[in-house]
Amino acid sequence: MYGDVDLNIIDGSAIWAQSMAQSLAAAGCEVTVLLKAPVRTDRLTAPLDEASGIRLVRPYEDRMLRDLGPGGLTPEQAVELMGRLHTRKPFDLVVVRGRRLAGLAAQETSLAGRLWTYLTDFPHGVDELTAGTTAELTEIALASRFVLCQTEEMRAFLESTVPAACGRAVLFPPVVVVPEGVLADGQVHARTRLAYTGKFAPRWNTLEMTGLPEELARVGVDAELVMIGDKIHAEPADWAKRMRKALESSPHVDWRGGMSRAQALRQSAECDFGISWRDPDLDASLELSTKVLELGALGLPVVLNRTPMHEALLGADYPLFAGQDSASVVAVIARAYHDRAVYAEAARRCRSASADHSLERAAERLRGYLAEALPSAPEGTDPERPLKVVIAGHDLKFFTRLAEYLDSLPGLDVRIDEWEGLNSHDQYRSRELAAWADVVICEWCGPNALFYAKWKRPEQRLIVRLHRFELYAEWPRRLDVSKVDAVVCVSPHYADLTRELTGWPEDKVVVLPNWVDERQLDRPKLAGAEYSLGMIGIAPSRKRLDRGLDVLSELRGMDPRYTLSVKTKHPWDYWWIWNRPEERAHFEKVYRRIQREERLASGVVFDGFGPDVATWLRRVGFVLSTSDDESFHLAPAECAASGGIPALLPWPGADTIYDPRWIHEDPITMAEAIHATVSQGRFTVEAERARAEITSVYGLGRVRALWSDLVVHGRVPEPVGTGVDHVTT
């Protein structure tokens, strides 16, 4: 683990480094911490030295490099040392913090794929992002197993601007480690004490804070400000001088200097209020202050800015939100000082918000990510003699997550035979892989399946995944199904249709459903999401956007708050669709309707097509499936996993995948059901029910296990689904 931070200086980034190492150790990791600078004070390093499972590497004391400068390791030097350490004893994961550092580490072949990158120092606004920054962040994301994001807002911004981060971005909020038995007494004392800990910087309003005791005295509040920390920003120089003078000479300001984290918390616990009041320029920050959570964990109510993030953390009616000037800070402190009920409620909110940031919760979160990144070997496999698996196909986008999972399993050696097109491939390489493999998975039942069936050995197993696209083509008729061990379809309806059209033996055609990544999709909904309908992908015309508009029009007649968000490419982005006269005529009619109908003109939003579906779904309550036909249609299931509700019309086979209560006879019936759910206050209950049903059957973990059983053991799964006669427990 390496953070581009100096552990001699106590600030948020240094506290992160300490708590990150402690969290990894608590999760069961053997942690090597590479220090940036020589140890001049052990206030942060001593707890790490004393902890079990943590080893500190001191490059200065051990003279690991010749040209070590006084400012600590450069990012280049840090990456060089990480590479050396990895060569001596390979690491399973390499945790790094710092964009410049992560960018260099991403270019190291030996570290790529092992990186768990914690990012905060990147632009937090679209207007600040440059093409170079985006390219750098993309490279970092692609080289990282996980990109650790401090807040949901940060993850959403990163996914929306850096598509490569989608599926890799996970939450790792600040960690609060409070010494055992340290807690505020929950009382407001006659002389109230305000606690500030951290760095002293202009935008942190630390100079303005030093005037608070005198301002409070003028409104009848006897107050003292306790300030803990020793890092004073050097720029601008005149400000730094004024800050130091204010710390040393301001009335009723007790500057206690720097100290260990544990000492700072013990002394803060003796105070009555915490202060984290900042310049409004920081209100748009996507970072969450660790000090707010630490002070809250002590039981102190904290005075802080009103921001969307803080409202989500503490509630919009939290009583200690301050405005831009010191007078507003004085007003909220005075109110809580005189009204003990207000004080107690604010303290309770802060304590409750901090509970999810404990060391135990952080370790639990990390254990989940470790299990995802480093899964156990499947039963019956031997990592010393791995099962050899080939995945072959011309378009693997629908199979990528499963391919990555199979490749991560100890006991499996996975190789990819990616064809350039349906009929275009390196025949010599394919022949070589056919001779090498124990198991072949053909994604699509096309020429790839015909090729591998031709060269299949008797002891080899061949699995073919068939989609709607090729079911009506010639390839299934030409496939020697006796050479195939299993033909995989994603739904019972298409499995039945496959048997009917091909005449293949019933036991050869099996159902392994599509999956939903419930961990990635499980994010808090934004306010008003229940009034937002969604559709993902509207081309070709059989997706029937026109029916979705029928639903919206009906709903807006009941309540104008309903809107429809369409996440899609437009039909003219697909040449093979736009060149067909009947398709073009259909969409021209639909788009004209949106422009001309009053109910639709202000109620339809087109969002860019991209992989940031989990972020997009935060503001969507219902996803519509109004198609003429679908093989599975994943979008309603993803909606359910995100905390929304599926809404489907009865396309063939829908009832073998989705519960019939989500399937409606026509657009009007669908609209009436949606409005009844919202207007009667049943949205949350129905959404939780949908989430439970969908994730129990189509959750990524369950579907992965089914595939693992099929690949490793040839074990055919039992029928699955949430529809009638398909529920399994």
Side-chain angles (χ1 to χ4, degrees):
M1 189 196 101
Y2 181 80
D4 196 17
V5 295
D6 187 344
L7 293 191
N8 296 294
I9 301 171
I10 296 183
D11 61 10
S13 56
I15 294 299
W16 169 87
Q18 185 192 62
S19 59
M20 185 80 223
Q22 292 170 323
S23 300
L24 287 163
C29 295
E30 295 179 7
V31 186
T32 298
V33 180
L34 176 63
L35 298 180
K36 175 185 174 73
V39 177
R40 293 184 290 271
T41 171
D42 66 355
R43 291 180 302 201
L44 287 175
T45 57
L48 300 181
D49 262 331
E50 297 163 4
S52 175
I54 299 177
R55 176 174 73 99
L56 300 185
V57 175
R58 297 173 168 84
Y60 278 79
E61 291 84 343
D62 297 337
R63 299 183 180 180
M64 297 175 70
L65 292 172
R66 291 182 181 178
D67 53 345
L68 292 173
L73 297 179
T74 65
E76 290 82 0
Q77 290 172 328
V79 171
E80 179 185 345
L81 288 178
M82 284 191 287
R84 284 191 199 175
L85 293 168
H86 178 65
T87 300
R88 293 175 193 167
K89 184 180 180 182
F91 298 108
D92 296 303
L93 55 139
V94 178
V95 181
V96 296
R97 172 173 176 157
R99 194 177 97 204
R100 167 75 176 146
L101 171 79
L104 292 170
Q107 297 172 27
E108 286 291 317
T109 305
S110 62
L111 302 182
R114 302 174 190 270
L115 294 176
W116 290 28
T117 305
Y118 187 89
L119 284 178
T120 59
D121 54 340
F122 62 91
H124 292 181
V126 175
D127 56 332
E128 300 171 6
L129 274 178
T130 65
T133 302
T134 303
E136 182 184 24
L137 292 172
T138 298
E139 186 175 18
I140 291 170
L142 290 173
S144 300
R145 180 60 185 86
F146 290 123
V147 178
L148 305 176
C149 297
Q150 192 189 79
T151 63
E152 191 62 70
E153 291 77 10
M154 185 177 290
R155 174 161 68 163
F157 178 77
L158 190 63
E159 289 182 338
S160 299
T161 53
V162 184
C166 297
R168 305 170 194 264
V170 297
L171 283 182
F172 190 76
V175 182
V176 175
V177 183
V178 175
E180 189 173 349
V182 176
L183 198 66
D185 63 12
Q187 302 296 317
V188 184
H189 301 91
R191 179 167 224 199
T192 193
R193 284 180 170 180
L194 319 177
Y196 173 83
T197 64
K199 61 188 173 186
F200 302 102
R203 293 199 296 172
W204 271 248
N205 282 348
T206 50
L207 182 58
E208 290 79 0
M209 286 180 196
T210 58
L212 290 177
E214 286 194 306
E215 292 188 57
L216 283 163
R218 287 195 285 271
V219 296
V221 177
D222 184 13
E224 179 182 34
L225 175 62
V226 175
M227 304 194 87
I228 299 172
D230 56 5
K231 180 180 179 181
I232 301 176
H233 272 219
E235 297 294 337
D238 63 324
W239 183 93
K241 290 178 183 178
R242 287 190 292 133
M243 184 72 244
R244 179 170 288 276
K245 183 178 179 181
L247 287 169
E248 293 172 341
S249 60
S250 293
H252 308 298
V253 172
D254 182 3
W255 180 32
R256 300 184 181 180
M259 60 186 68
S260 72
R261 188 181 186 186
Q263 286 177 306
L265 290 171
R266 289 190 181 95
Q267 296 194 21
S268 296
E270 297 172 355
C271 298
D272 303 66
F273 291 88
I275 302 288
S276 184
W277 168 55
R278 298 180 175 183
D279 188 281
D281 284 352
L282 295 175
D283 285 356
S285 171
L286 302 178
E287 295 184 62
L288 180 58
S289 171
T290 304
K291 77 180 66 172
V292 170
L293 300 170
E294 287 182 331
L295 296 170
L298 296 174
L300 295 180
V302 184
V303 179
L304 72 170
N305 302 52
R306 179 186 291 277
T307 69
M309 187 188 305
H310 290 156
E311 286 187 349
L313 183 72
L314 299 168
D317 59 346
Y318 177 69
L320 297 189
F321 283 138
Q324 297 184 16
D325 55 18
S326 59
S328 66
V329 177
V330 168
V332 297
I333 292 175
R335 181 188 173 206
Y337 178 83
H338 293 296
D339 189 333
R340 302 307 162 92
V342 171
Y343 180 90
E345 175 60 15
R348 185 193 68 77
R349 296 270 189 102
C350 290
R351 190 166 52 249
S352 177
S354 300
D356 195 42
H357 297 265
S358 66
L359 179 63
E360 294 75 18
R361 180 68 186 92
E364 177 188 343
R365 194 185 301 270
L366 286 173
R367 281 192 286 270
Y369 298 151
L370 287 165
E372 173 79 7
L374 304 166
S376 303
E379 184 181 351
T381 61
D382 179 2
E384 298 299 319
R385 300 181 63 186
L387 186 72
K388 294 173 286 190
V389 179
V390 167
I391 300 171
H394 73 285
D395 180 0
L396 301 178
K397 64 176 177 287
F398 298 121
F399 203 78
T400 299
R401 292 294 301 278
L402 284 175
E404 290 174 347
Y405 171 71
L406 294 173
D407 188 41
S408 72
L409 292 175
L412 268 65
D413 184 356
V414 176
R415 300 185 185 180
I416 305 296
D417 182 12
E418 188 160 7
W419 290 31
E420 294 178 7
L422 271 168
N423 289 288
S424 177
H425 67 119
D426 183 337
Q427 296 191 35
Y428 296 103
R429 173 170 166 75
S430 297
R431 282 285 303 275
E432 182 181 298
L433 290 174
W436 171 82
D438 298 313
V439 180
V440 175
I441 303 170
C442 285
E443 169 69 341
W444 306 91
C445 183
N448 57 331
L450 302 181
F451 177 90
Y452 277 95
K454 176 181 177 181
W455 295 105
K456 184 194 174 191
R457 304 190 313 273
E459 74 280 7
Q460 193 178 60
R461 282 188 287 114
L462 176 59
I463 300 166
V464 177
R465 198 161 84 128
L466 185 147
H467 301 250
R468 179 185 182 279
F469 161 73
E470 62 268 36
L471 180 57
Y472 296 94
E474 60 178 294
W475 306 298
R477 283 68 161 161
R478 294 167 50 196
L479 179 65
D480 183 354
V481 77
S482 68
K483 300 285 187 70
V484 179
D485 294 271
V487 176
V488 175
C489 298
V490 295
S491 72
H493 173 72
Y494 266 81
D496 290 341
L497 199 56
T498 296
R499 297 185 188 102
E500 177 185 333
L501 293 176
T502 63
W504 290 341
E506 184 171 343
D507 60 348
K508 284 284 178 87
V509 183
V510 302
V511 177
L512 268 76
N514 282 328
W515 63 88
V516 292
D517 189 341
E518 64 270 41
R519 278 193 174 180
Q520 278 288 327
L521 291 164
D522 186 8
R523 308 184 185 192
K525 289 288 185 188
L526 299 179
E530 65 271 26
Y531 291 98
S532 177
L533 317 179
M535 295 182 74
I536 302 178
I538 58 161
S541 60
R542 61 181 176 83
K543 295 288 187 177
R544 298 304 298 270
L545 173 60
D546 58 316
R547 291 173 177 165
L549 299 178
D550 292 341
V551 176
L552 178 65
S553 179
E554 192 72 20
L555 280 167
R556 284 175 69 82
M558 304 175 195
D559 190 321
R561 286 178 288 181
Y562 288 106
T563 58
L564 173 64
S565 296
V566 185
K567 187 172 181 60
T568 187
K569 287 184 179 180
H570 291 284
W572 50 82
D573 294 323
Y574 302 97
W575 65 266
W576 56 275
I577 292 176
W578 200 238
N579 284 346
R580 295 169 60 184
E582 68 277 13
E583 289 285 331
R584 184 178 296 202
H586 170 87
F587 282 108
E588 287 176 346
K589 180 180 179 182
V590 167
Y591 279 70
R592 278 197 300 269
R593 180 184 173 192
I594 294 171
Q595 291 177 320
R596 294 174 181 177
E597 286 191 22
E598 184 178 347
R599 286 183 181 177
L600 301 179
S602 60
V604 180
V605 177
F606 285 94
D607 295 312
F609 186 77
D612 57 330
V613 172
T615 292
W616 179 79
L617 281 170
R618 290 189 67 201
R619 58 182 170 88
V620 174
F622 297 83
V623 163
L624 311 186
S625 177
T626 56
S627 307
D628 290 328
D629 64 280
E630 294 280 356
S631 59
F632 188 94
H633 206 188
L634 189 61
E638 290 178 325
C639 175
S642 78
I645 301 173
L648 301 95
L649 293 182
W651 40 263
D655 59 343
T656 68
I657 302 170
Y658 292 100
D659 192 295
R661 75 173 180 279
W662 303 326
I663 303 172
H664 310 284
E665 184 178 346
D666 53 47
I668 293 177
T669 306
M670 181 185 287
E672 290 171 345
I674 289 171
H675 185 61
T677 299
V678 174
S679 62
Q680 295 170 15
R682 294 187 286 110
F683 177 82
T684 301
V685 172
E686 286 297 318
E688 284 304 316
R689 185 176 176 185
R691 190 207 303 267
E693 286 193 13
I694 286 295
T695 57
S696 68
V697 178
Y698 304 129
L700 181 58
R702 182 176 189 275
V703 176
R704 280 175 173 173
L706 293 175
W707 270 98
S708 178
D709 280 349
L710 180 61
V711 171
V712 174
H713 304 292
R715 191 176 298 146
V716 175
E718 294 294 324
V720 295
T722 64
V724 177
D725 298 326
H726 289 282
V727 176
T728 59
T729 58

